[in-house]
Amino acid sequence: MVQRALKKLKGRGGLWLHAILMLSIWSYMPSFAQDSLAEEDQLIFEEADHPQALKDKLLHRLRSQTQGAQDGVSSIRDLSRLTHVCYWLDDLDTLKDLIPRIQHDKLQALQLKRYGEAAILSIGLSLWEFSQNNSKRSVELAHEALSLAKQSQNPNAILRVLAFQSDLYYRLDFDQESIQAVLAARTELKEYPNLSPILRLIGDINVVQQNFEADRTDDNLQLLERYYHTIKDMKLRFHSGILAFFLGDAYDNLSQPNLEKAESYFKESLQTAKSIDDFYTASAAAYKLASLANKRKDSEAAMEYGYRTLELTRNTGSLWRFKAYRELALAHLQRNELDKAVMAIQQSLHDIRPEQTTERIKSLNVAVQVYKKKQDVAQALASAEAIIQLMEQQKQVSSSQDFSKSKVLLGLEASQLQNQILDKDRQLALKDSQLKTVELEKMKKDNVIKTAVVIFLLIVVPVLISLLAYVYRQQKKIHDLNVHLQTDVLGRFLPPSLVQDVVDKKIVWNAHAHHMDVTVVFADLVEFIRICENKDPKRISEIMNRFFSAMSRVIYSEQGTLDKFIGDAVMIIFGAPVSMEREEQIHRSVACARKMMLALDELNQQLEAEDGTSFRMRIGIHAGSVIAGMFGSTERSDYTAVGTTVNIASRIEGLARPNQVLASQTVIQGLDDNEWTTAGLFKLKGISEPQELFEIHLAQSDAGISKVS
């Protein structure tokens, strides 16, 4: 229902824009013999057909240059080529290592007035900022790159930067800006009348693709296919993989889709891209194959390609990961595996960047379907209302008619869900009234009995004495029961030694909500869903129980409060309900995090010996003020903490890499300098300015011993 309101250029306007502009002068191989190519032409061919091999060659050359006398211009030229190959391959690991040198050589290129190379180096810096969730800085660097490229008067540099801009805007969910980048590229081509036949061919392909978007006729599509076979015959695998993706997307989005041809082209794209380690294009094609499988109700194929997408994006950006999780949710929904569907769609929503509003609406739409089938009316209603709120924000980029229709339909759906909740509330209220009536009748009967007992006691003194003794014994039982209940409740989240101190009234436990200064720790198993996907439920339960038992022992050993288990995650509090000095909180929380990593390593050794299973964990730590106390209803309540400090700790944990402990500045202020290193600036949801986070060292001899006696 929501998808009808969202039908824009998204389905067919993203990766193919990248393909249009990336057909630049470096991606075209002239027809003369390879052995007559100059070194420059050889590099052009390698970039188009063997980007991974070219990356290794350029890395080796740059390392050699750093060891001997450097040719400044040659070094800058090689680094700009390597930066562009890293962008093509979405190779963030290599790019991360190059960032300091890119920043240095960019300044040198500007001094030498090598504006074309400076523009390409700015592309690398922009891509890195995007990967660090700094979208604003990423866009600023992309604009700077375009300005430098135009200043260079080099059409090759201009087209490359415009290609990157189009791709960046697509990743940021800015459709209109992505289209403008394509149009700008076409305009730039016209400004160079003496273009070589190579660039003229690029312009022709650009025009045909533009015409196809405007007029989706068989003639235009067949012409594009001829261009595809030309590029394929030239063995330019990088570009043929991208253009195959575009053709698959085109057939998928025709007024009468040809799913068979679409699937064929997507498979060609996947195979070609994987052959040259172009994991970005390969993951896009795998995601599209999962989507096609869901369209034809083939849940098994959808799950196969969905998990393949996750595997392909393991070491690249996460653009396709949340889409893959969305398709996996739909596949599990078809198989009526509702718990797995919920976990998949929640992961999809978690991985979507804040600025990707359109994609969030799509995933929320799937969430509504999942929760409705699961009969979780409250969650379905919350998802529907979130869609309405996001569409309100998107009103300026949607047609008023489509927006109004979608909002009305969603409003009706939300009203239906709300009515279901009200019906359930009325049923519960009726049952509650009936129970109270029964309880009142019982109380009347009890009063009659008590009156008779009193009269009887006044008459028979010996019986009164016996009854008093009986009452004393009952009161003692009630007291013992209260102690037992108190011990049972507190024992769920406090170490046994503290529980006994509370029962013995050595420590005062305030159950009412009040402000406290605490340190909060969040720990989460990485990719738990994927690892346990094919395991027996009994085996999953056994693994989780062993994991939670191991973590509980560690938490209690450091006097931590085990707030709750959330799926495969754990929330821990230091400093509540029993207060603790800030310095002690910090040292105990860090010691606890290190012990948890050691405990997970021991558990992994056991699990690997049993069935090859192993897990990785990420941990986030933050200290500050919270509201702590018993929260819940009259039927059920638990001790917990709420507030901004808890939210920030959770978001820090979400930014940590596998087997990494990240902490905020308030935490490391209480640690020695040799216990941490700076991890960088990160954008936290709900906080306007980027926050500096710090990595806690794990390899210490006293890692498992608290520093506070």
Side-chain angles (χ1 to χ4, degrees):
M1 178 186 65
V2 179
Q3 293 168 352
R4 291 198 297 269
L6 300 174
K7 190 174 183 183
K8 297 164 57 181
L9 290 171
K10 178 61 65 182
R12 55 183 186 271
L15 190 62
W16 72 269
L17 297 176
H18 181 107
I20 295 172
L21 295 174
M22 293 307 285
L23 293 173
S24 60
I25 187 168
W26 283 28
S27 69
Y28 183 86
M29 176 63 188
S31 58
F32 47 80
Q34 181 174 327
D35 56 6
S36 67
L37 296 177
E39 181 185 3
E40 180 74 11
D41 295 322
Q42 180 64 31
L43 288 171
I44 292 172
F45 179 82
E46 289 184 46
E47 187 177 38
D49 194 43
H50 303 284
Q52 188 67 41
L54 178 60
K55 184 194 79 173
D56 296 338
K57 177 190 289 187
L58 291 171
L59 278 171
H60 176 73
R61 185 184 295 179
L62 286 169
R63 293 192 184 103
S64 300
Q65 290 171 351
T66 58
Q67 295 170 1
Q70 282 195 30
D71 177 355
V73 173
S74 175
S75 171
I76 293 170
R77 185 170 59 247
D78 286 345
L79 184 60
S80 68
R81 288 170 176 160
L82 179 57
T83 299
H84 196 260
V85 172
C86 288
Y87 157 58
W88 271 9
L89 298 175
D90 215 33
D91 186 351
L92 299 179
D93 290 338
T94 302
L95 187 64
K96 177 183 178 181
D97 296 335
L98 292 173
I99 288 299
R101 186 162 182 179
I102 291 175
Q103 292 171 333
H104 173 271
D105 281 21
K106 178 184 173 182
L107 294 175
Q108 189 176 5
L110 291 173
Q111 292 174 356
L112 297 172
K113 297 184 179 180
R114 306 284 297 186
Y115 299 118
E117 282 89 351
I120 303 304
L121 295 174
S122 292
I123 285 179
L125 296 175
S126 176
L127 181 62
W128 177 249
E129 292 293 342
F130 173 83
S131 72
Q132 300 304 301
N133 295 322
N134 192 350
S135 302
K136 181 179 179 181
R137 181 57 182 157
S138 178
V139 172
E140 289 174 353
L141 286 166
H143 289 164
E144 180 185 339
L146 181 58
S147 176
L148 291 170
K150 288 183 176 180
Q151 193 172 352
S152 74
Q153 292 292 304
N154 183 341
N156 175 40
I158 293 172
L159 288 176
R160 283 176 178 269
V161 173
L162 285 167
F164 173 76
Q165 271 197 342
S166 175
D167 187 26
L168 176 64
Y169 289 143
Y170 172 64
R171 297 185 188 208
L172 291 171
D173 212 15
F174 300 162
D175 284 331
Q176 294 301 323
E177 289 85 345
S178 188
I179 293 171
Q180 290 302 320
V182 175
L183 297 177
R186 189 172 172 185
T187 302
E188 293 292 342
L189 284 173
K190 292 180 179 179
E191 292 181 2
Y192 294 89
N194 297 321
L195 283 175
S196 68
I198 298 174
L199 285 180
R200 190 66 61 192
L201 173 64
I202 298 166
D204 291 342
I205 295 176
N206 185 295
V207 170
V208 172
Q209 289 177 312
Q210 291 280 332
N211 291 341
F212 175 75
E213 285 301 303
D215 185 11
R216 291 175 166 266
T217 62
D218 289 341
D219 290 341
N220 284 335
L221 189 55
Q222 289 172 10
L223 183 56
L224 281 175
E225 286 184 309
R226 287 200 293 274
Y227 277 118
Y228 166 66
H229 290 297
T230 299
I231 294 172
K232 185 178 179 181
D233 291 342
M234 292 162 59
K235 297 182 179 179
L236 303 182
R237 290 181 290 174
F238 183 84
H239 301 299
S240 62
I242 295 177
L243 199 50
F245 179 92
F246 167 73
L247 286 166
D249 206 44
Y251 275 111
D252 185 26
N253 288 281
L254 291 173
S255 56
Q256 293 183 344
N258 187 334
L259 299 185
E260 184 177 349
K261 272 208 164 186
E263 182 178 12
S264 175
Y265 275 116
F266 285 137
K267 286 183 177 178
E268 282 193 42
S269 176
L270 175 60
Q271 181 179 1
T272 303
K274 282 190 66 178
S275 70
I276 57 171
D277 293 338
D278 176 12
F279 296 118
Y280 181 80
T281 304
S283 59
Y287 151 70
K288 279 292 189 177
L289 286 167
S291 178
L292 286 179
N294 273 327
K295 287 181 180 180
R296 62 174 185 268
K297 306 300 181 185
D298 186 351
S299 60
E300 185 174 350
M303 291 173 63
E304 175 190 349
Y305 285 112
Y307 283 112
R308 189 178 299 186
T309 305
L310 297 181
E311 185 65 28
L312 288 167
T313 57
R314 180 188 297 273
N315 298 318
T316 63
S318 60
L319 176 64
W320 305 106
R321 290 185 68 82
F322 67 81
K323 296 185 178 184
Y325 277 118
R326 186 165 63 215
E327 296 303 327
L328 286 170
L330 288 170
H332 285 303
L333 186 62
Q334 290 181 42
R335 300 161 70 94
N336 209 34
E337 298 170 347
L338 301 183
D339 289 338
K340 293 179 180 179
V342 169
M343 287 191 288
I345 199 59
Q346 287 178 344
Q347 189 65 48
S348 174
L349 290 166
H350 176 271
D351 289 350
I352 297 175
R353 297 166 67 99
E355 63 269 14
Q356 294 174 313
T357 305
T358 302
E359 294 296 343
R360 184 169 296 278
I361 291 175
K362 290 181 180 180
S363 290
L364 283 169
N365 187 40
V366 175
V368 171
Q369 300 176 46
V370 172
Y371 287 125
K372 282 179 66 177
K373 192 166 184 179
K374 200 173 186 294
Q375 296 185 342
D376 189 340
V377 181
Q379 287 293 343
L381 175 60
S383 300
E385 289 176 341
I387 294 173
I388 295 175
Q389 183 179 3
L390 290 173
M391 291 183 69
E392 288 279 6
Q393 299 171 7
Q394 275 203 326
K395 186 174 182 180
Q396 66 275 15
V397 295
S398 304
S399 70
S400 58
Q401 185 177 4
D402 287 344
F403 174 78
S404 299
K405 286 181 180 178
S406 298
K407 186 176 177 183
V408 169
L409 290 172
L410 275 171
L412 290 174
E413 183 168 308
S415 297
Q416 292 173 358
L417 292 170
Q418 192 119 40
N419 288 336
Q420 292 180 34
I421 292 177
L422 291 174
D423 287 341
K424 286 191 174 181
D425 287 344
R426 283 193 290 268
Q427 293 173 9
L428 290 173
L430 179 60
K431 289 182 179 178
D432 186 56
S433 176
Q434 293 172 346
L435 288 173
K436 286 183 177 179
T437 301
V438 172
E439 186 178 355
L440 183 60
E441 292 297 327
K442 184 179 179 182
M443 289 176 62
K444 289 180 179 180
K445 293 180 180 179
D446 289 344
N447 286 335
V448 172
I449 295 173
K450 289 177 182 177
T451 302
V453 169
V454 170
I455 295 172
F456 185 73
L457 289 176
L458 292 174
I459 297 173
V460 184
V461 174
V463 176
L464 176 60
I465 295 173
S466 299
L467 271 175
L468 289 174
Y470 172 78
V471 169
Y472 172 78
R473 289 193 298 271
Q474 292 300 312
Q475 286 180 338
K476 188 175 184 307
K477 287 183 179 179
I478 292 172
H479 174 266
D480 293 341
L481 180 60
N482 284 333
V483 171
H484 171 73
L485 289 174
Q486 192 174 38
T487 304
D488 182 62
V489 171
L490 294 176
R492 286 183 293 170
F493 51 84
L494 286 181
S497 59
L498 290 182
V499 172
Q500 191 58 47
D501 287 344
V502 172
V503 172
D504 295 341
K505 301 190 183 301
K506 294 179 181 178
I507 296 177
V508 177
W509 176 48
N510 186 359
H512 298 291
H514 60 292
H515 285 280
M516 294 195 76
D517 185 58
V518 303
T519 299
V520 181
V521 178
F522 272 92
D524 181 34
L525 291 179
V526 179
E527 294 188 337
F528 178 78
I529 297 174
R530 182 186 65 79
I531 296 173
C532 294
E533 171 66 27
N534 297 317
K535 294 189 183 298
D536 182 74
K538 183 177 180 181
R539 175 59 174 164
I540 295 174
S541 174
E542 177 195 345
I543 291 174
M544 289 306 298
N545 288 337
R546 290 165 67 180
F547 169 72
F548 289 141
S549 296
M551 295 303 108
S552 297
R553 288 192 294 271
V554 170
I555 294 164
Y556 291 157
S557 72
E558 288 298 336
Q559 302 297 304
T561 298
L562 206 168
D563 185 282
K564 63 175 72 70
F565 295 122
I566 314 166
D568 57 339
V570 186
M571 174 180 169
I572 312 154
I573 306 172
F574 291 85
V578 179
S579 62
M580 188 184 296
E581 292 295 326
R582 170 66 69 85
E583 183 181 3
E584 183 179 3
Q585 293 175 20
I586 290 174
H587 285 300
R588 287 193 180 277
S589 65
V590 171
C592 181
R594 290 169 175 160
K595 285 185 178 182
M596 290 170 71
M597 288 296 189
L598 291 175
L600 179 62
D601 184 61
E602 293 177 1
L603 179 60
N604 280 337
Q605 293 178 20
Q606 300 171 15
L607 296 177
E608 286 178 346
E610 295 168 8
D611 59 7
T613 300
S614 66
F615 296 95
R616 296 178 297 169
M617 181 165 59
R618 54 191 175 208
I619 298 176
I621 310 175
H622 181 57
S625 178
V626 299
I627 299 176
M630 296 296 292
F631 292 86
S633 63
T634 54
E635 288 77 18
R636 176 177 176 178
S637 62
D638 278 313
Y639 186 92
T640 188
V642 297
T644 303
T645 297
V646 176
N647 296 337
I648 291 176
S650 175
R651 286 162 188 160
I652 292 174
E653 177 266 319
L655 293 171
R657 299 192 308 273
N659 291 341
Q660 183 186 42
V661 179
L662 281 184
S664 64
Q665 190 164 10
T666 58
V667 174
I668 62 100
Q669 286 174 350
L671 300 175
D672 295 335
D673 293 345
N674 62 355
E675 293 187 78
W676 53 269
T677 55
T678 300
L681 291 176
F682 294 81
K683 176 64 178 173
L684 299 182
K685 183 178 179 182
I687 299 178
S688 58
E689 296 296 327
Q691 301 296 307
E692 188 173 19
L693 299 181
F694 306 86
E695 181 176 3
I696 302 299
H697 295 165
L698 298 180
Q700 291 191 359
S701 60
D702 62 341
I705 302 175
S706 172
K707 294 189 176 182
V708 180
S709 60

